[in-house]
């Protein structure tokens, strides 16, 4: 045969070239498996934020240095001077008692608690709305002298005139001649003024300056309850 050129071989035996005498045996090359993360990243694209957090061990821990909102504190004012509060308390108490007294009889007359009779006018001072007339009331169960005759017309404001009227009781001071509609207006206005006096007592005594809500509610209830107790007393006396 033909002469062959000697193959060049390194000391470590590479390259493993075939010298042509025998069959060539292919050598299987074992490739390294790529990491799962790299494969998933190459096939599915970039990692999503929730998956990254799961790989890091769950959601990130909450921040502990977060500042919590502080509750709003009510600014309390200084209490009023005791002398001012006591003086105003007495003044509003007297006004409430007066308004309750003048509203008691119109209230009973408006609700029907009255004795009917006849009033004879004995004297009148002034004319029109400023007239003040006095007369004698004669009813079925009692009679009264020198009672105030209320709601007389201009023609009836003269001595000797007899008109039908009604009174609450023998202890009453007014013989009322007019209709019941004006009586309702009288006692409603009177009770409203009593409640305003109660609010004046609360203002004078500093009920709204107390620190707690419960203390303020109690103070307002007592301020309004005191004048209403005076009204109840007036209603009991005039019954």
């Amino acid at each position: 045969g033909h002469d062959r050129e000697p193959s060049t071989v390194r000391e470590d035996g590479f390259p493993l070239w075939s010298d042509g005498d025998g069959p060539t045996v292919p050598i299987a090359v074992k490739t390294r498996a790529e990491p799962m993360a790299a494969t998933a990243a190459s096939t599915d694209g970039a990692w999503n934020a929730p998956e990254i957090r799961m790989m890091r061990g769950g959601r990130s821990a909450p921040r502990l240095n977060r500042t919590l909102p502080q509750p709003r504190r009510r600014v309390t004012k200084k209490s009023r001077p005791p002398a001012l509060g006591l003086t105003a308390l007495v003044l509003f108490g007297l006004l409430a008692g007066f308004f309750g007294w003048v509203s008691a009889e119109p209230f009973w007359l408006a609700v029907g608690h009255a004795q009917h009779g006849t009033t004879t006018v004995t004297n009148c001072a002034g004319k029109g709305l400023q007239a003040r007339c006095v007369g004698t009331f004669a009813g079925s169960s009692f009679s009264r002298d020198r009672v105030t005759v209320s709601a007389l017309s201009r023609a009836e404001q003269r001595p000797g005139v007899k008109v039908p009227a009604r009174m609450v009781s023998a202890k009453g001071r007014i013989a009322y001649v007019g209709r019941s509609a004006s009586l309702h207006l009288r006692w409603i206005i009177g009770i409203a003024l009593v409640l305003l006096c109660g609010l004046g007592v609360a203002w004078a005594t500093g009920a709204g300056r107390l620190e707690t809500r419960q203390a303020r509610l109690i103070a307002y209830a007592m301020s309004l309850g005191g004048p209403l107790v005076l009204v109840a007393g007036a209603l009991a006396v005039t019954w």
Side-chain angles (χ1 to χ4, degrees), residues 11-27:
E11 295 179 355
D12 54 359
F14 285 94
L16 300 177
W17 307 115
S18 173
D19 54 2
D21 293 338
T24 302
V25 179
I27 300 175

Side-chain angles (χ1 to χ4, degrees), residues 34 36-46:
E34 295 183 359
M36 184 181 298
T39 305
S42 62
T43 57
D44 297 338

Side-chain angles (χ1 to χ4, degrees), residues 120-125 132-135 146-147 149 152 157-160:
T120 303
V121 179
T122 57
N123 188 18
C124 283
R132 297 293 181 269
C133 297
V134 180
R146 300 188 60 81
V147 294
V149 185
L152 286 171
Q157 295 175 0
R158 53 190 179 85

Side-chain angles (χ1 to χ4, degrees), residues 100-152:
W101 177 258
V102 299
S103 302
E105 288 193 39
F107 173 80
W108 289 128
L109 293 172
V111 298
H113 178 67
Q115 297 287 334
H116 294 267
T118 302
T119 297
T120 303
V121 179
T122 57
N123 188 18
C124 283
K127 295 181 180 180
L129 296 176
Q130 298 180 352
R132 297 293 181 269
C133 297
V134 180
T136 301
F137 178 83
S140 58
S141 57
F142 65 90
S143 297
R144 277 290 305 273
D145 295 333
R146 300 188 60 81
V147 294
T148 301
V149 185
S150 179
L152 286 171

Side-chain angles (χ1 to χ4, degrees), residues 61-106:
R63 297 176 60 185
L64 299 179
N65 57 349
R66 184 179 299 173
T67 304
L68 297 178
Q70 298 294 332
R72 296 181 60 183
R73 299 182 62 184
R74 186 178 185 273
V75 179
T76 57
K77 299 180 180 180
K78 295 182 179 180
S79 59
R80 300 188 186 280
L84 175 62
L86 182 59
T87 303
L89 174 63
V90 174
L91 177 61
F92 284 118
L94 292 175
L95 288 175
F98 171 75
F99 292 134
W101 177 258
V102 299
S103 302
E105 288 193 39

Side-chain angles (χ1 to χ4, degrees), residues 163-186:
V163 289
R166 54 189 184 273
M167 291 185 64
V168 176
S169 63
K171 298 179 294 184
R173 55 184 180 83
I174 297 176
Y176 192 77
V177 178
R179 297 177 299 176
S180 299
S182 58
L183 288 172
H184 286 292
L185 183 62
R186 288 189 180 189

